[in-house]
Amino acid sequence: MLLKDKVCVIVGAASLRSIGYATAELFAEHGAKVVVVDVMMNEQVLDEIKSSINNKVIGPLSVHGVPCDVSKPEDCEALVQQVLALHGTIDCLVNSAGIVRSQPILDITESDLDLMFDINLKGAFFLCQSVLKVFKEKKSGSIVNVASLAAQRGGGLVGSSHYAASKGGMLSLTKSIAREFGALGIRANAICPAMIETPMLDGLSEERLRGIVDAIPLKRTGTTREMAGACLFLASELSGFVTGATIDVNGGTHMH
Ligand SMILES: NC(=O)c1ccc[n+]([C@@H]2O[C@H](COP(=O)([O-])OP(=O)(O)OC[C@H]3O[C@@H](n4cnc5c(N)ncnc54)[C@H](O)[C@@H]3O)[C@@H](O)[C@H]2O)c1
C-alpha cells in the first residue's frame, strides 16, 4: 500500500476510459482516500466510478466526487474547501483535466486559444494555487500534472499548436512550483503521455492511428493503467527525492 490513508484529489476523472479514472482506481488499490473531480462530475458518474473501483478493490473504500470547472478560480477554491471539510487535509493533487483540439495555426481564433489556455493552463495554475495554500500550511504535499508529449516536441500527433503551448506552459508551471516550494518539502512533477487509449484518440482514423503506432518503438498505444503507474510513483514516497521532473510515458516515441 503506497498511499495508505492519503487524501488524493484526482481531476479529470469522469470517464471510465480516462487517465484520471485509472489513476483514481490504482490509488484506491493502494489505500488512498480518493476524491474524483471533473466538470462532468455528477451523481450518476460518481456511481459508475464507485462501482467500477469496487470491482477492483477488496475492503473499505473512500471515494468522493466533486464537480469543478478548473478554468474558474472560484471552483478550484471551492473544491479545496470541500475536500478539507470531508477529510481535513489534502496530500496529493493529480491534475489530468484537459481538452485537445487539432487545428492548423492559421485557423486558430482568439476564442479557440482562450478556451485551450483557460482549461489546460490557467486551470492547472488555479488548481495548483488553491492546493498549494494547504500544502504550504502543512509543509508537505505532492502535485502531479498530466502534460503531454506535445509540450516537448510541438503539436502534430493529436493536439496542435495551442494545445502544445498550453502543455508547455504546464511543464514550466510545474518546475516553478518545484523551485518555489521545494524548501517546504512540497514536490511537483509532470508526466508527458503520448498515444494513450482514451477518448482523446477517438477522432483518429484507423489508418492515421496505424501510421502513428508504427513510429512508436514499443509498437503499440499506451494504457491508462500505465499512466496511472507513473502518477502513483510521483504521488508516493517512492519518488521522495524527485521534484521538477518530467516523466516520459510514451513508448519511446520521444527520447532525449
Ligand atoms: N490520451 C492521450 O493520448 C494523451 C496524450 C497526452 C496527454 N494527454 C493528457 O492527459 C489528460 C487526460 O486526458 P485523457 O486522455 O484521460 O482524456 P479524457 O478526455 O478522458 O480526460 C480529460 C477530462 O478532463 C475533463 N475536463 C475538460 N475540461 C474541464 C474543465 N474545465 N474542468 C474540469 N475538468 C475538465 C473532461 O471532462 C475529461 O473527463 C489530458 O490533460 C490530456 O491532455 C492525453
Side-chain angles (χ1 to χ4, degrees), residues 72-149:
K72 297 185 176 150
E74 63 275 18
D75 271 29
C76 297
E77 269 306 313
L79 163 66
V80 166
Q81 292 314 315
Q82 266 183 270
V83 180
L84 290 179
L86 266 171
H87 294 300
T89 192
I90 302 175
D91 297 297
C92 172
L93 166 72
V94 177
N95 175 27
S96 189
I99 57 166
V100 69
R101 298 282 184 277
S102 187
Q103 288 170 288
I105 290 188
L106 297 183
D107 290 354
I108 294 172
T109 64
E110 188 177 3
S111 66
D112 293 331
L113 192 64
D114 282 346
L115 180 69
M116 187 61 70
F117 283 8
D118 280 354
I119 295 173
N120 289 7
L121 184 53
K122 288 171 75 175
F125 188 92
F126 296 142
L127 263 182
C128 290
Q129 201 175 44
S130 297
V131 163
L132 281 166
K133 291 175 195 162
V134 179
F135 288 0
K136 189 179 174 186
E137 281 294 307
K138 59 185 271 184
K139 296 191 173 53
S140 69
S142 172
I143 290 175
V144 183
N145 280 322
V146 181
S148 171
L149 170 70

Side-chain angles (χ1 to χ4, degrees), residues 11-21 37-41 67-72 75 95-100 115 118-120 123 127 146-150 158 163 166-167 170 191-201 222 224 227 249:
V11 189
S15 160
L16 294 184
R17 294 172 60 208
S18 67
I19 293 170
Y21 168 75
V37 181
D38 203 288
V39 71
M40 304 299 285
M41 188 57 60
C68 169
D69 179 347
V70 298
S71 68
K72 297 185 176 150
D75 271 29
N95 175 27
S96 189
I99 57 166
V100 69
L115 180 69
D118 280 354
I119 295 173
N120 289 7
L127 263 182
V146 181
S148 171
L149 170 70
V158 178
Y163 174 76
S166 71
K167 294 296 187 176
M170 199 187 212
I191 67 166
C192 281
M195 302 313 291
I196 313 307
E197 294 152 17
T198 75
M200 281 203 175
L201 299 192
T224 55
M227 300 306 111
V249 202

